[in-house]
Amino acid sequence: MDTLLQDLRHAFRLLRRSPGFTAAAVATLALGMGANTAMFSVVHAVMLRPLPYAEPERLVRIRGGSSWPDLDDLKAQGRTLGGLGGYRAHSLDLVGGPVAERVLGAAVTGDLFRTLRVPPALGHAIGPEDDRPNGERVVVLSHAFWRGRLAGDPDVPGRTLRFSSGVYRVLGVMPPGFRLPGLEAEVFVPLAVESPSEAGARGAHTLAAVARLAPGASIALAQAELDAIAARLAAAYPEENTDRRYPLSPLHGFLVRDIRDALLLLLGAVFLVLLIAATNVANLLLVRAASREREMAVRASLGAGRARLLRQLLAESVLLAALGGAAGLVVALWLVGVVVRLAPPQVPGLDGVSLDLRVLAFTGGVAVLTGLLFGLAPGLHGSRVPLADSLKEGARTGTGRPGRRVRDLLVVSQVALALVLLVGAGLLLRSLHRLQSVDPGFEPSRLVTFNLTLPTASYGDIPKRNRFFEQVLERVAALPGVTAAGATSELPFASGGLTPHDFIVEGRPPLRPGTEPELSNRAVTPAYFETVGLPLRRGRLLDESDRADAPLVGVVNEAAAREHFSGEDPLGRRVAWARADELTWITVVGVVGDVRGTGLDESDAPALYTPLAQELRWWKSWKFVSGMLFGVRPTDPATFLAVAAILTAVAALACYRPARRAARADPLAALRAE
């Protein structure tokens, strides 16, 4: 230990004597290790940290939407599930203050909190006894809502809160950091009380469902049981459950499925940055070691063995890496904030990103390994000194053939790593350019949107709701600078996309229930098409004459015309939503252009635009690198050629000044020095 401390003290003195070299090496390592530390902290929080629920490894997600009656049947008939609950977003308006305030909420089934097994901080959570149609209005609060709006009152359970839909009794408060999988919510209300018609509708597949595997049950065993139950439900309820399955996925894997590849790609990229930084510093140390051959020869002549010399040189490199790691923590603190701000808000675990003990341990390990990595080659070269030649007066240094080969190998490795990194970045940049060149189907410039949800308790009457929207749009359109104002039930690129509905076409042979074609539906005001710049292809657009008391009409997009009316004219044809209590026929009066789906890399689904004034449904008043490329192949030759040209230019620029200085040197002076 004393020898090690002596080596470190000596290494510190040597680095302090060369401030320029030390600053350059530390800055290079800080960039590489800081980027790796920042990305590891994000990957750890999002992908490696267990979910904040009891025994999270037993939680699974049923992919797709589920209905309240289906979940009840799965619980009643299944033996492999130890719990099953559903939830969906459900905002509420908090009233009683100067202005009403929108509160992000969730409607949950009675078994959800028992399935997640997270005890509340105060009171109790919603249970099956609370989730019944026509039951008492109750609410569970998030910890942030309780602290922010109720000043952390410990006596809040039992109190009442007034929302626009009624008075709610507070059951309890959840602990800090609690959130539903994939959904931010400030308050939680029972689904059956909040929406009894939805709770009784088997075809309302609106709920995200989470299940807990029973002790001893595997996902494969549970999936086999759910498949059998799905077949029985399809036979019993063919109209709603034909071809409906309940595929299971581990909950954690399901939550990170959309971000996993991007995080791994970024982690791989910053690892390449670290390797480039390490090879760069190794080159600097190799040159430094060559200039210290005489010093090493003196040490060897005084009795220092090769192992002793190697240990001294490695101590210098590890100390240099430690300084780079310490500076890298500062870089990581800044980069973590940048990554969290730029990441999509739905990424799970972002609120837990921090430089905790695990991340600090990772940084320490990276620093030690990096120091050994870039210090090994210079150390081996520096400890292998030719005593006779090095001790001669005026002996040449740094010209040994083995040293040149190592330096050449490091330079080649550095350029190769940079080529890989730049090619990946170039491919992604070309993909971004291609995406930005895609026509979204509407004109997004100067387009401003906002969301408005009307409480059904106050606006359950359809004419009253329509009058409200008419007045809002009139006032918005009258604002200075506004050229058009429209409303729609779903915006383009809406999260999760549009929900398809089964429909039938008048005059066509009847189909078996559950096998009808599907159309997505947007309820819009007449000015919507002008507002977003959606072009008319045939027929007419919706207009002010398409009111609630007028014949029902609709406009289809080009995708619907191609897929469902191929070879025939859709204008004048009548469609209806399948299996409604009473068929209401909608006449197609126009065809408009397609709008990209949930992203620029997706095509629009067949859709039908209907007048918002004729909408009678209450829920419409508001049911690896190659995998990330768009329009560019992973072997795109233009990108490879451009990156090679850039690297060649950078290398030539880096060599220019040393070559120019060497060309100006006096040959006689150089020979005398040798």
Side-chain angles (χ1 to χ4, degrees):
M1 180 60 69
D2 291 340
T3 305
L4 176 61
L5 293 176
Q6 180 182 355
D7 289 341
L8 291 175
R9 284 195 296 268
H10 181 68
F12 182 77
R13 287 196 298 269
L14 289 175
L15 293 178
R16 190 173 57 183
R17 291 174 188 170
S18 306
F21 164 81
T22 303
V26 169
T28 302
L29 293 174
L31 178 62
M33 285 194 274
N36 275 266
T37 300
M39 280 311 306
F40 177 78
S41 65
V42 175
V43 170
H44 176 261
V46 175
M47 297 179 58
L48 303 180
R49 182 177 294 166
L51 295 175
Y53 312 116
E55 298 179 289
E57 69 280 358
R58 289 171 51 194
L59 291 175
V60 293
R61 172 73 155 82
I62 298 180
R63 301 197 302 272
S66 300
S67 68
W68 199 84
D70 280 358
L71 295 183
D72 263 1
D73 285 334
L74 293 178
K75 287 185 293 186
Q77 301 180 36
R79 297 294 179 267
T80 59
L81 302 182
L84 178 61
Y87 57 96
R88 65 164 175 80
H90 181 78
S91 297
L92 297 169
D93 293 323
L94 183 64
V95 297
V99 294
E101 184 177 0
R102 173 63 50 85
V103 177
L104 299 177
V108 304
T109 64
D111 283 332
L112 178 64
F113 289 103
R114 294 185 181 182
T115 300
L116 296 176
R117 295 187 183 175
V118 179
L122 293 175
H124 65 274
I126 294 171
E129 66 279 2
D130 303 304
D131 187 34
R132 295 176 180 174
N134 302 317
E136 180 188 10
R137 292 189 181 275
V138 293
V139 63
V140 171
L141 311 177
S142 71
H143 198 271
F145 182 95
W146 173 64
R147 291 293 300 270
R149 290 181 172 85
L150 301 177
D153 182 4
D155 299 323
V156 71
R159 286 179 49 185
T160 59
L161 293 177
R162 181 175 294 277
F163 294 94
S164 59
S165 50
V167 177
Y168 291 70
R169 180 170 62 88
V170 178
L171 291 180
V173 178
M174 297 306 293
F178 172 80
R179 59 173 292 175
L180 295 178
L183 178 64
E184 292 283 356
E186 299 177 274
V187 296
F188 312 90
V189 294
L191 173 72
V193 177
E194 203 67 19
S195 181
S197 58
E198 179 184 358
R202 186 172 294 274
H205 301 108
T206 59
L207 302 179
V210 175
R212 179 176 291 276
L213 297 177
S218 64
I219 289 185
L221 185 62
Q223 186 66 73
E225 183 181 61
L226 263 60
D227 289 344
I229 297 175
R232 293 197 294 269
L233 293 178
Y237 309 101
E239 294 189 355
E240 294 87 0
N241 285 68
T242 296
D243 298 327
R244 177 158 292 279
R245 296 183 68 251
Y246 306 97
L248 298 177
S249 296
L251 180 59
H252 190 274
F254 181 85
L255 293 177
V256 301
R257 69 195 186 284
D258 294 331
I259 196 66
R260 177 176 52 236
D261 288 350
L263 285 180
L264 293 179
L265 179 66
L266 289 173
L267 189 61
V270 296
F271 181 69
L272 288 181
V273 172
L274 178 60
L275 288 181
I276 293 172
T279 54
N280 190 33
V281 175
N283 249 326
L284 294 176
L285 284 176
L286 197 58
V287 174
R288 180 179 170 87
S291 66
R292 296 172 60 192
E293 283 185 359
R294 187 176 183 83
E295 173 195 342
M296 295 296 107
V298 172
R299 289 174 176 271
S301 65
L302 294 176
R306 186 178 180 188
R308 181 69 181 83
L309 296 177
L310 177 62
R311 190 173 63 191
Q312 173 61 50
L313 293 173
L314 285 179
E316 295 178 23
S317 63
V318 171
L319 178 60
L320 200 60
L323 294 175
L329 287 177
V330 179
V331 176
L333 283 172
W334 175 75
L335 284 178
V336 162
V338 173
V339 172
V340 171
R341 285 194 299 270
L342 294 180
Q346 65 270 23
V347 176
L350 281 182
D351 52 351
V353 177
S354 63
L355 301 185
D356 57 14
L357 290 179
R358 293 184 181 88
V359 176
L360 294 178
F362 170 82
T363 305
V366 168
V368 173
L369 291 177
T370 303
L372 294 176
L373 176 66
F374 69 69
L376 191 59
L380 290 174
H381 173 72
S383 62
R384 187 175 59 245
V385 292
L387 292 180
D389 293 338
S390 298
L391 290 175
K392 289 180 181 178
E393 185 69 26
R396 291 181 298 174
T397 61
T399 59
R401 184 168 297 174
R404 288 200 303 270
R405 285 200 297 265
V406 173
R407 288 198 296 273
D408 292 343
L409 178 61
L410 288 175
V411 171
V412 170
S413 301
Q414 191 173 5
V415 173
L417 291 171
L419 179 67
V420 173
L421 190 63
L422 289 176
V423 165
L427 290 172
L428 292 175
L429 285 174
R430 290 205 67 195
S431 296
L432 179 61
H433 176 71
R434 292 286 182 90
L435 280 172
Q436 290 176 333
S437 303
V438 171
D439 181 9
F442 65 99
E443 179 51 58
S445 62
R446 305 188 310 277
L447 195 62
V448 179
T449 67
F450 64 92
N451 177 266
L452 182 63
T453 301
L454 297 182
T456 55
S458 303
Y459 291 91
D461 179 67
I462 301 300
K464 185 177 181 181
R465 181 206 63 191
N466 290 339
R467 287 194 299 272
F468 175 85
F469 279 118
E470 289 173 358
Q471 294 173 2
V472 169
L473 291 177
E474 287 176 0
R475 296 184 182 183
V476 171
L479 293 175
V482 175
T483 59
T488 177
S489 55
E490 287 92 2
L491 287 168
F493 300 158
S495 177
L498 294 173
T499 302
H501 306 281
D502 296 341
F503 79 103
I504 58 176
V505 180
E506 186 181 34
R508 291 184 180 175
L511 299 172
R512 182 166 56 90
T515 64
E516 300 93 344
E518 294 180 334
L519 270 179
S520 298
N521 178 226
R522 287 188 177 101
V524 302
T525 59
Y528 172 78
F529 302 99
E530 177 190 359
T531 303
V532 302
L534 195 58
L536 175 67
R537 302 302 188 197
R538 300 173 59 191
R540 71 171 178 89
L541 297 174
L542 304 178
D543 57 37
E544 299 297 336
S545 65
D546 300 317
R547 306 189 65 83
D549 54 354
L552 302 183
V553 295
V555 172
V556 297
N557 64 354
E558 290 179 298
R562 287 191 305 268
E563 185 169 331
H564 299 308
F565 297 95
S566 179
E568 59 180 309
D569 188 359
L571 298 182
R573 300 301 302 268
R574 298 207 303 170
V575 300
W577 303 122
R579 301 191 305 281
D581 295 334
E582 180 180 353
L583 291 181
T584 53
W585 294 102
I586 301 171
T587 302
V588 178
V589 297
V591 180
V592 296
D594 288 339
V595 174
R596 293 282 171 169
T598 56
L600 289 174
D601 57 343
E602 296 185 10
S603 300
D604 198 5
L608 173 69
Y609 295 86
T610 54
L612 189 63
Q614 296 181 350
E615 182 55 66
L616 301 179
R617 292 168 291 176
W618 59 268
W619 63 87
K620 292 283 187 179
S621 65
W622 301 253
K623 300 199 337 206
F624 52 61
V625 174
S626 59
M628 299 182 180
L629 300 182
F630 176 79
V632 179
R633 292 180 300 169
T635 56
D636 179 60
T639 302
F640 278 74
L641 290 175
V643 168
I646 292 173
L647 274 179
T648 302
V650 171
L653 184 64
C655 295
Y656 173 73
R657 290 191 62 185
R660 184 180 180 185
R661 187 168 58 248
R664 290 180 174 179
D666 185 358
L668 293 178
L671 290 173
R672 282 196 297 270
E674 292 296 331

